[in-house]
């Protein structure tokens, strides 16, 4: 492949062959000399205090080295939750006292020579409790409601124009409430940590999306200098927002390893994953839409309720999304946080956007029916070039193109708008539905380091985490194009706090953040090569590495004039050249990311926390958009819904890697089907905690539930947001998908389901739920 042609290609995944061979080392795969194993013991009451804790039988199990409880565990410094953007997933720290904040929290940790001994001993730990009243549902009288605008002033009530007054005057009004359940991420890789102390320094291997946050949190909680902590996460078997901060397993493994003086591996059992780390909170949305008879929407009022914990206020920014999707001139949005006796909820793919747009896009479908307007046309009419909340222009907005291309490819014009009017040959009900979605464009500060060797290979260390999304591939393509090398000559190190700053990778900002830092370092490499050439009296043009190619493992000029790079570097007495690069989001200054090394091109880069900004930037606002079109079939007698066709068209700016972009999109659509038809974490109002805390009872789709999915990209660059023209992709593909499915189900059956997921019994009626 010629130079300058890697970006946008369908090149193979950079680490695809290694993954097929089973070569990547994940967190739990790490081994160390004299390794020990830890298993947690969980509380079995919804709330209360521990009155007795018997570890005698556990300590007698052969191979047990320690049983740690609140009575003998080292005391920790406070954890910095900081409204969801600190280093720890929660401010609550179990096993520091006798308090049980919720069912499932760890109350003991058994450490043994083998995993089997640790598990056996953990089952022998018994506890007595003084049980206190608890609440685990949004409607529980014991739940505490908190006005978010008062408790978290950075998330005020959002008002544009006169939403309530015009709503009261509107001739056509939709007033409906939509609900979404708690959900858990359930990545294939369990939560796991390998902790090892050497000469007072702590080495952590684990699957995390935020190695920098893990490092910060551990240093703060343990009270040791940050330089004494290294976190390594080269691969992650599914994050989806679950691993965006330091969790209990990390600090407990570190404390256990320090106590016994040996490395400790802690793998959290699946059932405990449901209770030891954050999850998507349950939410409820009252959406009120007012419109004129001609189909013009005049007002939108969005009142949201979202779950949080007793000890943290996890903000919910649903109205930030609903206020900015369409050109509706009058809006009011409020949020009520509901304190429940669970662990603190947090981020899960498209955390607030997915549930918000399920509600908004469902309400729009109801309004379209009331107005006798096509659902696609209703959305097209309310397109806008400016952000309703700030008045700033969008850096790019190609939602209409998504709608038009999707409608044409899906054959939307053949849809009979009457509910229940379409049938398949076997008598099943057929429904066609659609919905749109959006996700903010976000970017973070990042750093990189590149070393280019005389043999035409390059080592790239950069901010970022590989959690299956393919970030190594996009980094390789950008580095290859920038340096004039094939991607297979690029070696990439990510997720290691020793070699590059490691902020959180999430929120669809991984590519937008990492690749500009790589390009910055690559430009420095090119400049150094030009300087070497100039010192030799050669023409600068002849050493433009984008014009070079490989021959016998060395980089040569386009005219086969010889080992050009080797000659350049040898003439300078060097076997390689090295450079560092840094990136800040549009309008962001180094002072806004104080832990990033302030000196550009610094030889030693400092760690970096999360310094993300967006979607509002100086002069513009950035969002990605998507339009979903869905066909469902519902049994005529037993009304089991099934998605039979799905097409989604995405405006994510320029596509860097078509292969990984397509993979991300398909995965998001599968999750949309799961969200709409099966996925929910069921709470236990009797005893607390979650009932279906295993992969047998937590229902997710299998291959037979997924039809052939079709995705398309507008693939037009957004150069205001990024010099590469990219916007975010990974999150937006999940937004709106569930609404498109439930809208299709209504079209098939005439039954409007307003609470996810859809159950067969919901459709065995003639009324809406």
């Amino acid at each position: 492949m010629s130079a300058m042609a890697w970006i946008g290609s369908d090149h193979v995944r950079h680490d695809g062959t290694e993954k097929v061979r089973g070569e990547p080392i994940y967190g739990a795969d790490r081994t160390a000399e004299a390794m020990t194993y830890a298993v947690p013991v969980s509380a079995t009451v919804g709330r209360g205090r521990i009155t007795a804790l018997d570890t005698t039988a556990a300590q007698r199990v052969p191979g047990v080295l320690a049983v740690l409880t609140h009575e003998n565990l080292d005391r920790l410094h406070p954890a910095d939750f900081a409204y969801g953007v600190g280093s720890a997933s929660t401010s609550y720290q179990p096993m520091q006292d006798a308090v049980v904040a919720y069912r499932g929290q760890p109350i003991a940790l058994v450490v043994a020579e083998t995993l089997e001994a640790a598990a056996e001993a953990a089952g022998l730990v018994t506890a007595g409790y003084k049980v206190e009243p608890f609440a685990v549902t949004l409607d529980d009288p014991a739940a505490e409601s908190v006005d978010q605008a008062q408790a978290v002033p950075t998330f005020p009530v959002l008002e544009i124009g006169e939403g309530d007054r015009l709503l009261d005057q509107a001739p056509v009004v939709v007033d409906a409430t939509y609900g979404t359940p708690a959900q858990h991420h359930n990545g294939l890789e369990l939560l796991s940590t390998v902790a090892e102390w050497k000469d007072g320094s702590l080495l952590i291997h684990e699957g995390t999306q935020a190695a920098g946050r893990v490092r910060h949190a551990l240093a703060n909680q343990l009270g040791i200098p940050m330089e004494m902590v290294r976190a390594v996460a080269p691969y992650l078997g599914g994050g989806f927002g679950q691993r965006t901060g330091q969790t209990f397993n990390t600090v407990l493994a570190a404390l256990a390893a320090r106590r016994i003086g040996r490395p400790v591996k802690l793998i959290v059992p699946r059932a405990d994953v449901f209770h030891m780390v954050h999850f998507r909170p349950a939410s409820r949305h009252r959406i009120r839409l007012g419109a004129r008879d001609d189909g013009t929407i005049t007002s939108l009022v969005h009142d949201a309720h979202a779950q949080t914990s007793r000890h943290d206020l996890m903000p919910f920014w649903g109205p930030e999304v609903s206020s900015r999707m369409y050109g509706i001139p009058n809006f009011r949005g409020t949020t009520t946080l509901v304190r429940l006796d669970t662990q603190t909820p947090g981020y899960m793919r498209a955390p607030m956007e997915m549930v918000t747009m399920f509600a908004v896009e469902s309400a729009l479908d109801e309004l379209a029916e009331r107005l006798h307007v096509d659902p696609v046309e209703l959305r097209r009419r309310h397109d806008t070039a400016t952000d309703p909340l700030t008045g700033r222009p969008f850096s790019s907005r190609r939602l209409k193109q998504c709608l038009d291309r999707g409608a044409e490819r899906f054959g939307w014009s053949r849809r009979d708008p009457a509910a229940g009017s379409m049938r398949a040959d076997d008598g099943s009900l057929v429904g066609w539905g659609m919905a749109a979605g959006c996700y903010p464009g976000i970017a973070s500060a990042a750093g990189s380091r590149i070393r280019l060797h005389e043999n035409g290979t390059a080592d790239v260390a950069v901010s970022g985490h590989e959690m299956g999304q393919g970030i190594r591939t996009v980094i390789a393509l950008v580095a290859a194009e920038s340096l004039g090398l094939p991607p297979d000559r690029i070696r990439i190190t990510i997720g290691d706090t020793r070699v590059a700053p490691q902020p959180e990778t999430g929120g669809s900002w991984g590519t937008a953040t990492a690749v500009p830092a790589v390009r910055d370092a690559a430009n420095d490499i090119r400049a150094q090569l030009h300087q070497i050439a100039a010192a030799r009296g050669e023409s600068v043009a002849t050493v433009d590495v984008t014009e070079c190619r490989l021959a016998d493992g060395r980089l040569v000029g386009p005219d086969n004039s010889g080992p050009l790079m080797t000659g350049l570097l040898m003439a300078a007495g060097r076997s390689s050249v090295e450079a560092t690069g840094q990136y800040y989001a549009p309008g962001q200054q180094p002072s806004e990311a104080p832990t990033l090394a302030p000196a550009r091109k610094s030889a030693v880069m400092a760690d970096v926390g999360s310094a993300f900004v967006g979607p509002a930037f100086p002069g513009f606002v950035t969002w990605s958009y998507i339009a979903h079109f869905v066909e469902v079939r519902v049994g005529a007698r037993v009304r089991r819904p099934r998605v039979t066709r799905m097409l989604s068209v995405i405006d994510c700016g320029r596509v860097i890697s078509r292969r990984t972009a397509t993979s991300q999109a398909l995965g998001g659509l599968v999750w949309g089907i799961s969200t709409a038809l099966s996925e929910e974490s069921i709470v236990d109002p009797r005893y607390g905690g979650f009932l279906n805390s295993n992969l047998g009872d937590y229902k997710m789709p299998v291959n037979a539930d997924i039809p052939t999915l079709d995705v398309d990209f507008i693939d037009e660059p957004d150069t205001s947001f990024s010099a590469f023209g990219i916007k975010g992709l990974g999150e937006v593909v999940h937004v709106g998908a569930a609404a498109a499915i439930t809208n299709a189900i209504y079209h098939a059956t005439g039954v409007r389901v307003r609470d996810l997921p859809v159950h067969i019994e919901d459709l065995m009626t003639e009324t809406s739920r």
Side-chain angles (χ1 to χ4, degrees), residues 398-415:
R398 299 183 177 92
L399 178 59
K400 270 188 179 180
Q401 290 175 251
C402 293
L403 293 167
D404 292 346
R405 186 182 297 182
E408 180 181 1
R409 290 193 53 187
F410 192 79
W412 187 258
S413 61
R414 302 193 303 271
R415 176 183 185 262

mmCIF file with all atom_site columns, all heavy atoms in Angstrom, residues 398-415:
data_model
loop_
_atom_site.group_PDB
_atom_site.id
_atom_site.type_symbol
_atom_site.label_atom_id
_atom_site.label_alt_id
_atom_site.label_comp_id
_atom_site.label_asym_id
_atom_site.label_entity_id
_atom_site.label_seq_id
_atom_site.pdbx_PDB_ins_code
_atom_site.Cartn_x
_atom_site.Cartn_y
_atom_site.Cartn_z
_atom_site.occupancy
_atom_site.B_iso_or_equiv
_atom_site.pdbx_formal_charge
_atom_site.auth_seq_id
_atom_site.auth_comp_id
_atom_site.auth_asym_id
_atom_site.auth_atom_id
_atom_site.pdbx_PDB_model_num
ATOM 1   N N   . ARG A 1 398 ? -24.887 16.093 10.641 1.00 0.00 ? 398 ARG A N   1
ATOM 2   C CA  . ARG A 1 398 ? -25.376 15.455 9.425  1.00 0.00 ? 398 ARG A CA  1
ATOM 3   C C   . ARG A 1 398 ? -26.472 14.442 9.754  1.00 0.00 ? 398 ARG A C   1
ATOM 4   O O   . ARG A 1 398 ? -26.547 13.367 9.176  1.00 0.00 ? 398 ARG A O   1
ATOM 5   C CB  . ARG A 1 398 ? -24.205 14.801 8.680  1.00 0.00 ? 398 ARG A CB  1
ATOM 6   C CG  . ARG A 1 398 ? -23.146 15.848 8.277  1.00 0.00 ? 398 ARG A CG  1
ATOM 7   C CD  . ARG A 1 398 ? -21.998 15.262 7.486  1.00 0.00 ? 398 ARG A CD  1
ATOM 8   N NE  . ARG A 1 398 ? -21.087 16.314 7.082  1.00 0.00 ? 398 ARG A NE  1
ATOM 9   C CZ  . ARG A 1 398 ? -20.015 16.707 7.771  1.00 0.00 ? 398 ARG A CZ  1
ATOM 10  N NH1 . ARG A 1 398 ? -19.721 16.105 8.915  1.00 0.00 ? 398 ARG A NH1 1
ATOM 11  N NH2 . ARG A 1 398 ? -19.237 17.681 7.331  1.00 0.00 ? 398 ARG A NH2 1
ATOM 12  N N   . LEU A 1 399 ? -27.321 14.828 10.701 1.00 0.00 ? 399 LEU A N   1
ATOM 13  C CA  . LEU A 1 399 ? -28.427 13.975 11.088 1.00 0.00 ? 399 LEU A CA  1
ATOM 14  C C   . LEU A 1 399 ? -29.396 13.772 9.930  1.00 0.00 ? 399 LEU A C   1
ATOM 15  O O   . LEU A 1 399 ? -29.896 12.656 9.710  1.00 0.00 ? 399 LEU A O   1
ATOM 16  C CB  . LEU A 1 399 ? -29.153 14.560 12.297 1.00 0.00 ? 399 LEU A CB  1
ATOM 17  C CG  . LEU A 1 399 ? -30.382 13.779 12.780 1.00 0.00 ? 399 LEU A CG  1
ATOM 18  C CD1 . LEU A 1 399 ? -30.010 12.353 13.170 1.00 0.00 ? 399 LEU A CD1 1
ATOM 19  C CD2 . LEU A 1 399 ? -31.052 14.497 13.952 1.00 0.00 ? 399 LEU A CD2 1
ATOM 20  N N   . LYS A 1 400 ? -29.683 14.822 9.169  1.00 0.00 ? 400 LYS A N   1
ATOM 21  C CA  . LYS A 1 400 ? -30.588 14.675 8.034  1.00 0.00 ? 400 LYS A CA  1
ATOM 22  C C   . LYS A 1 400 ? -30.049 13.662 7.035  1.00 0.00 ? 400 LYS A C   1
ATOM 23  O O   . LYS A 1 400 ? -30.806 12.863 6.470  1.00 0.00 ? 400 LYS A O   1
ATOM 24  C CB  . LYS A 1 400 ? -30.799 16.026 7.337  1.00 0.00 ? 400 LYS A CB  1
ATOM 25  C CG  . LYS A 1 400 ? -31.957 16.839 7.876  1.00 0.00 ? 400 LYS A CG  1
ATOM 26  C CD  . LYS A 1 400 ? -32.194 18.053 6.989  1.00 0.00 ? 400 LYS A CD  1
ATOM 27  C CE  . LYS A 1 400 ? -33.362 18.876 7.506  1.00 0.00 ? 400 LYS A CE  1
ATOM 28  N NZ  . LYS A 1 400 ? -33.600 20.071 6.643  1.00 0.00 ? 400 LYS A NZ  1
ATOM 29  N N   . GLN A 1 401 ? -28.757 13.698 6.805  1.00 0.00 ? 401 GLN A N   1
ATOM 30  C CA  . GLN A 1 401 ? -28.174 12.732 5.890  1.00 0.00 ? 401 GLN A CA  1
ATOM 31  C C   . GLN A 1 401 ? -28.326 11.312 6.414  1.00 0.00 ? 401 GLN A C   1
ATOM 32  O O   . GLN A 1 401 ? -28.592 10.377 5.651  1.00 0.00 ? 401 GLN A O   1
ATOM 33  C CB  . GLN A 1 401 ? -26.691 13.051 5.660  1.00 0.00 ? 401 GLN A CB  1
ATOM 34  C CG  . GLN A 1 401 ? -26.454 14.309 4.852  1.00 0.00 ? 401 GLN A CG  1
ATOM 35  C CD  . GLN A 1 401 ? -24.976 14.653 4.756  1.00 0.00 ? 401 GLN A CD  1
ATOM 36  O OE1 . GLN A 1 401 ? -24.505 15.618 5.344  1.00 0.00 ? 401 GLN A OE1 1
ATOM 37  N NE2 . GLN A 1 401 ? -24.240 13.843 4.003  1.00 0.00 ? 401 GLN A NE2 1
ATOM 38  N N   . CYS A 1 402 ? -28.179 11.142 7.732  1.00 0.00 ? 402 CYS A N   1
ATOM 39  C CA  . CYS A 1 402 ? -28.376 9.818  8.330  1.00 0.00 ? 402 CYS A CA  1
ATOM 40  C C   . CYS A 1 402 ? -29.818 9.362  8.125  1.00 0.00 ? 402 CYS A C   1
ATOM 41  O O   . CYS A 1 402 ? -30.076 8.206  7.744  1.00 0.00 ? 402 CYS A O   1
ATOM 42  C CB  . CYS A 1 402 ? -28.046 9.861  9.818  1.00 0.00 ? 402 CYS A CB  1
ATOM 43  S SG  . CYS A 1 402 ? -26.314 10.161 10.234 1.00 0.00 ? 402 CYS A SG  1
ATOM 44  N N   . LEU A 1 403 ? -30.767 10.258 8.368  1.00 0.00 ? 403 LEU A N   1
ATOM 45  C CA  . LEU A 1 403 ? -32.176 9.920  8.221  1.00 0.00 ? 403 LEU A CA  1
ATOM 46  C C   . LEU A 1 403 ? -32.522 9.588  6.775  1.00 0.00 ? 403 LEU A C   1
ATOM 47  O O   . LEU A 1 403 ? -33.187 8.588  6.487  1.00 0.00 ? 403 LEU A O   1
ATOM 48  C CB  . LEU A 1 403 ? -33.041 11.079 8.713  1.00 0.00 ? 403 LEU A CB  1
ATOM 49  C CG  . LEU A 1 403 ? -32.999 11.377 10.220 1.00 0.00 ? 403 LEU A CG  1
ATOM 50  C CD1 . LEU A 1 403 ? -33.634 12.727 10.509 1.00 0.00 ? 403 LEU A CD1 1
ATOM 51  C CD2 . LEU A 1 403 ? -33.704 10.279 11.006 1.00 0.00 ? 403 LEU A CD2 1
ATOM 52  N N   . ASP A 1 404 ? -32.053 10.434 5.852  1.00 0.00 ? 404 ASP A N   1
ATOM 53  C CA  . ASP A 1 404 ? -32.417 10.245 4.448  1.00 0.00 ? 404 ASP A CA  1
ATOM 54  C C   . ASP A 1 404 ? -31.784 8.984  3.865  1.00 0.00 ? 404 ASP A C   1
ATOM 55  O O   . ASP A 1 404 ? -32.447 8.203  3.166  1.00 0.00 ? 404 ASP A O   1
ATOM 56  C CB  . ASP A 1 404 ? -31.989 11.468 3.636  1.00 0.00 ? 404 ASP A CB  1
ATOM 57  C CG  . ASP A 1 404 ? -32.790 12.711 3.996  1.00 0.00 ? 404 ASP A CG  1
ATOM 58  O OD1 . ASP A 1 404 ? -33.830 12.570 4.665  1.00 0.00 ? 404 ASP A OD1 1
ATOM 59  O OD2 . ASP A 1 404 ? -32.369 13.827 3.623  1.00 0.00 ? 404 ASP A OD2 1
ATOM 60  N N   . ARG A 1 405 ? -30.499 8.773  4.159  1.00 0.00 ? 405 ARG A N   1
ATOM 61  C CA  . ARG A 1 405 ? -29.842 7.585  3.626  1.00 0.00 ? 405 ARG A CA  1
ATOM 62  C C   . ARG A 1 405 ? -30.437 6.324  4.231  1.00 0.00 ? 405 ARG A C   1
ATOM 63  O O   . ARG A 1 405 ? -30.658 5.325  3.536  1.00 0.00 ? 405 ARG A O   1
ATOM 64  C CB  . ARG A 1 405 ? -28.338 7.638  3.877  1.00 0.00 ? 405 ARG A CB  1
ATOM 65  C CG  . ARG A 1 405 ? -27.593 6.485  3.217  1.00 0.00 ? 405 ARG A CG  1
ATOM 66  C CD  . ARG A 1 405 ? -26.105 6.516  3.505  1.00 0.00 ? 405 ARG A CD  1
ATOM 67  N NE  . ARG A 1 405 ? -25.455 7.712  2.980  1.00 0.00 ? 405 ARG A NE  1
ATOM 68  C CZ  . ARG A 1 405 ? -24.145 7.950  3.081  1.00 0.00 ? 405 ARG A CZ  1
ATOM 69  N NH1 . ARG A 1 405 ? -23.356 7.054  3.694  1.00 0.00 ? 405 ARG A NH1 1
ATOM 70  N NH2 . ARG A 1 405 ? -23.628 9.050  2.588  1.00 0.00 ? 405 ARG A NH2 1
ATOM 71  N N   . GLY A 1 406 ? -30.710 6.371  5.535  1.00 0.00 ? 406 GLY A N   1
ATOM 72  C CA  . GLY A 1 406 ? -31.287 5.202  6.181  1.00 0.00 ? 406 GLY A CA  1
ATOM 73  C C   . GLY A 1 406 ? -32.672 4.871  5.656  1.00 0.00 ? 406 GLY A C   1
ATOM 74  O O   . GLY A 1 406 ? -32.993 3.703  5.397  1.00 0.00 ? 406 GLY A O   1
ATOM 75  N N   . ALA A 1 407 ? -33.511 5.906  5.473  1.00 0.00 ? 407 ALA A N   1
ATOM 76  C CA  . ALA A 1 407 ? -34.866 5.669  4.963  1.00 0.00 ? 407 ALA A CA  1
ATOM 77  C C   . ALA A 1 407 ? -34.831 5.079  3.562  1.00 0.00 ? 407 ALA A C   1
ATOM 78  O O   . ALA A 1 407 ? -35.592 4.154  3.238  1.00 0.00 ? 407 ALA A O   1
ATOM 79  C CB  . ALA A 1 407 ? -35.651 6.975  4.980  1.00 0.00 ? 407 ALA A CB  1
ATOM 80  N N   . GLU A 1 408 ? -33.927 5.584  2.728  1.00 0.00 ? 408 GLU A N   1
ATOM 81  C CA  . GLU A 1 408 ? -33.839 5.081  1.364  1.00 0.00 ? 408 GLU A CA  1
ATOM 82  C C   . GLU A 1 408 ? -33.357 3.635  1.338  1.00 0.00 ? 408 GLU A C   1
ATOM 83  O O   . GLU A 1 408 ? -33.942 2.785  0.657  1.00 0.00 ? 408 GLU A O   1
ATOM 84  C CB  . GLU A 1 408 ? -32.918 5.971  0.538  1.00 0.00 ? 408 GLU A CB  1
ATOM 85  C CG  . GLU A 1 408 ? -32.765 5.513  -0.901 1.00 0.00 ? 408 GLU A CG  1
ATOM 86  C CD  . GLU A 1 408 ? -31.824 6.388  -1.695 1.00 0.00 ? 408 GLU A CD  1
ATOM 87  O OE1 . GLU A 1 408 ? -31.267 7.352  -1.132 1.00 0.00 ? 408 GLU A OE1 1
ATOM 88  O OE2 . GLU A 1 408 ? -31.628 6.101  -2.898 1.00 0.00 ? 408 GLU A OE2 1
ATOM 89  N N   . ARG A 1 409 ? -32.310 3.344  2.078  1.00 0.00 ? 409 ARG A N   1
ATOM 90  C CA  . ARG A 1 409 ? -31.754 1.998  2.049  1.00 0.00 ? 409 ARG A CA  1
ATOM 91  C C   . ARG A 1 409 ? -32.696 0.982  2.699  1.00 0.00 ? 409 ARG A C   1
ATOM 92  O O   . ARG A 1 409 ? -32.736 -0.171 2.297  1.00 0.00 ? 409 ARG A O   1
ATOM 93  C CB  . ARG A 1 409 ? -30.390 1.981  2.753  1.00 0.00 ? 409 ARG A CB  1
ATOM 94  C CG  . ARG A 1 409 ? -29.289 2.696  1.992  1.00 0.00 ? 409 ARG A CG  1
ATOM 95  C CD  . ARG A 1 409 ? -27.929 2.378  2.579  1.00 0.00 ? 409 ARG A CD  1
ATOM 96  N NE  . ARG A 1 409 ? -27.739 0.927  2.679  1.00 0.00 ? 409 ARG A NE  1
ATOM 97  C CZ  . ARG A 1 409 ? -26.706 0.350  3.282  1.00 0.00 ? 409 ARG A CZ  1
ATOM 98  N NH1 . ARG A 1 409 ? -25.770 1.110  3.838  1.00 0.00 ? 409 ARG A NH1 1
ATOM 99  N NH2 . ARG A 1 409 ? -26.594 -0.958 3.339  1.00 0.00 ? 409 ARG A NH2 1
ATOM 100 N N   . PHE A 1 410 ? -33.453 1.414  3.700  1.00 0.00 ? 410 PHE A N   1
ATOM 101 C CA  . PHE A 1 410 ? -34.352 0.502  4.406  1.00 0.00 ? 410 PHE A CA  1
ATOM 102 C C   . PHE A 1 410 ? -35.640 0.254  3.626  1.00 0.00 ? 410 PHE A C   1
ATOM 103 O O   . PHE A 1 410 ? -36.313 -0.754 3.829  1.00 0.00 ? 410 PHE A O   1
ATOM 104 C CB  . PHE A 1 410 ? -34.687 1.083  5.782  1.00 0.00 ? 410 PHE A CB  1
ATOM 105 C CG  . PHE A 1 410 ? -35.367 0.129  6.716  1.00 0.00 ? 410 PHE A CG  1
ATOM 106 C CD1 . PHE A 1 410 ? -34.640 -0.827 7.405  1.00 0.00 ? 410 PHE A CD1 1
ATOM 107 C CD2 . PHE A 1 410 ? -36.742 0.176  6.907  1.00 0.00 ? 410 PHE A CD2 1
ATOM 108 C CE1 . PHE A 1 410 ? -35.270 -1.712 8.279  1.00 0.00 ? 410 PHE A CE1 1
ATOM 109 C CE2 . PHE A 1 410 ? -37.378 -0.698 7.771  1.00 0.00 ? 410 PHE A CE2 1
ATOM 110 C CZ  . PHE A 1 410 ? -36.641 -1.648 8.467  1.00 0.00 ? 410 PHE A CZ  1
ATOM 111 N N   . GLY A 1 411 ? -35.956 1.177  2.731  1.00 0.00 ? 411 GLY A N   1
ATOM 112 C CA  . GLY A 1 411 ? -37.219 1.078  2.008  1.00 0.00 ? 411 GLY A CA  1
ATOM 113 C C   . GLY A 1 411 ? -38.388 1.634  2.797  1.00 0.00 ? 411 GLY A C   1
ATOM 114 O O   . GLY A 1 411 ? -39.530 1.154  2.680  1.00 0.00 ? 411 GLY A O   1
ATOM 115 N N   . TRP A 1 412 ? -38.125 2.656  3.583  1.00 0.00 ? 412 TRP A N   1
ATOM 116 C CA  . TRP A 1 412 ? -39.117 3.223  4.510  1.00 0.00 ? 412 TRP A CA  1
ATOM 117 C C   . TRP A 1 412 ? -40.391 3.684  3.794  1.00 0.00 ? 412 TRP A C   1
ATOM 118 O O   . TRP A 1 412 ? -41.482 3.643  4.378  1.00 0.00 ? 412 TRP A O   1
ATOM 119 C CB  . TRP A 1 412 ? -38.485 4.379  5.273  1.00 0.00 ? 412 TRP A CB  1
ATOM 120 C CG  . TRP A 1 412 ? -39.336 4.958  6.370  1.00 0.00 ? 412 TRP A CG  1
ATOM 121 C CD1 . TRP A 1 412 ? -40.059 6.110  6.343  1.00 0.00 ? 412 TRP A CD1 1
ATOM 122 C CD2 . TRP A 1 412 ? -39.523 4.401  7.680  1.00 0.00 ? 412 TRP A CD2 1
ATOM 123 N NE1 . TRP A 1 412 ? -40.694 6.317  7.548  1.00 0.00 ? 412 TRP A NE1 1
ATOM 124 C CE2 . TRP A 1 412 ? -40.381 5.279  8.389  1.00 0.00 ? 412 TRP A CE2 1
ATOM 125 C CE3 . TRP A 1 412 ? -39.067 3.248  8.318  1.00 0.00 ? 412 TRP A CE3 1
ATOM 126 C CZ2 . TRP A 1 412 ? -40.767 5.047  9.708  1.00 0.00 ? 412 TRP A CZ2 1
ATOM 127 C CZ3 . TRP A 1 412 ? -39.458 3.014  9.632  1.00 0.00 ? 412 TRP A CZ3 1
ATOM 128 C CH2 . TRP A 1 412 ? -40.308 3.901  10.305 1.00 0.00 ? 412 TRP A CH2 1
ATOM 129 N N   . SER A 1 413 ? -40.303 4.089  2.556  1.00 0.00 ? 413 SER A N   1
ATOM 130 C CA  . SER A 1 413 ? -41.469 4.600  1.831  1.00 0.00 ? 413 SER A CA  1
ATOM 131 C C   . SER A 1 413 ? -42.547 3.525  1.643  1.00 0.00 ? 413 SER A C   1
ATOM 132 O O   . SER A 1 413 ? -43.713 3.849  1.379  1.00 0.00 ? 413 SER A O   1
ATOM 133 C CB  . SER A 1 413 ? -41.049 5.166  0.473  1.00 0.00 ? 413 SER A CB  1
ATOM 134 O OG  . SER A 1 413 ? -40.463 4.151  -0.330 1.00 0.00 ? 413 SER A OG  1
ATOM 135 N N   . ARG A 1 414 ? -42.175 2.266  1.789  1.00 0.00 ? 414 ARG A N   1
ATOM 136 C CA  . ARG A 1 414 ? -43.143 1.182  1.634  1.00 0.00 ? 414 ARG A CA  1
ATOM 137 C C   . ARG A 1 414 ? -43.887 0.871  2.931  1.00 0.00 ? 414 ARG A C   1
ATOM 138 O O   . ARG A 1 414 ? -44.737 -0.028 2.959  1.00 0.00 ? 414 ARG A O   1
ATOM 139 C CB  . ARG A 1 414 ? -42.440 -0.088 1.130  1.00 0.00 ? 414 ARG A CB  1
ATOM 140 C CG  . ARG A 1 414 ? -41.705 0.085  -0.202 1.00 0.00 ? 414 ARG A CG  1
ATOM 141 C CD  . ARG A 1 414 ? -41.316 -1.253 -0.800 1.00 0.00 ? 414 ARG A CD  1
ATOM 142 N NE  . ARG A 1 414 ? -40.488 -2.038 0.098  1.00 0.00 ? 414 ARG A NE  1
ATOM 143 C CZ  . ARG A 1 414 ? -39.164 -1.972 0.153  1.00 0.00 ? 414 ARG A CZ  1
ATOM 144 N NH1 . ARG A 1 414 ? -38.506 -1.110 -0.625 1.00 0.00 ? 414 ARG A NH1 1
ATOM 145 N NH2 . ARG A 1 414 ? -38.475 -2.740 0.987  1.00 0.00 ? 414 ARG A NH2 1
ATOM 146 N N   . ARG A 1 415 ? -43.593 1.571  3.972  1.00 0.00 ? 415 ARG A N   1
ATOM 147 C CA  . ARG A 1 415 ? -44.220 1.327  5.280  1.00 0.00 ? 415 ARG A CA  1
ATOM 148 C C   . ARG A 1 415 ? -45.664 1.823  5.286  1.00 0.00 ? 415 ARG A C   1
ATOM 149 O O   . ARG A 1 415 ? -45.955 2.968  4.957  1.00 0.00 ? 415 ARG A O   1
ATOM 150 C CB  . ARG A 1 415 ? -43.419 2.041  6.368  1.00 0.00 ? 415 ARG A CB  1
ATOM 151 C CG  . ARG A 1 415 ? -44.004 1.969  7.775  1.00 0.00 ? 415 ARG A CG  1
ATOM 152 C CD  . ARG A 1 415 ? -43.116 2.781  8.704  1.00 0.00 ? 415 ARG A CD  1
ATOM 153 N NE  . ARG A 1 415 ? -43.498 2.711  10.107 1.00 0.00 ? 415 ARG A NE  1
ATOM 154 C CZ  . ARG A 1 415 ? -44.241 3.644  10.728 1.00 0.00 ? 415 ARG A CZ  1
ATOM 155 N NH1 . ARG A 1 415 ? -44.680 4.695  10.047 1.00 0.00 ? 415 ARG A NH1 1
ATOM 156 N NH2 . ARG A 1 415 ? -44.533 3.516  12.005 1.00 0.00 ? 415 ARG A NH2 1
#
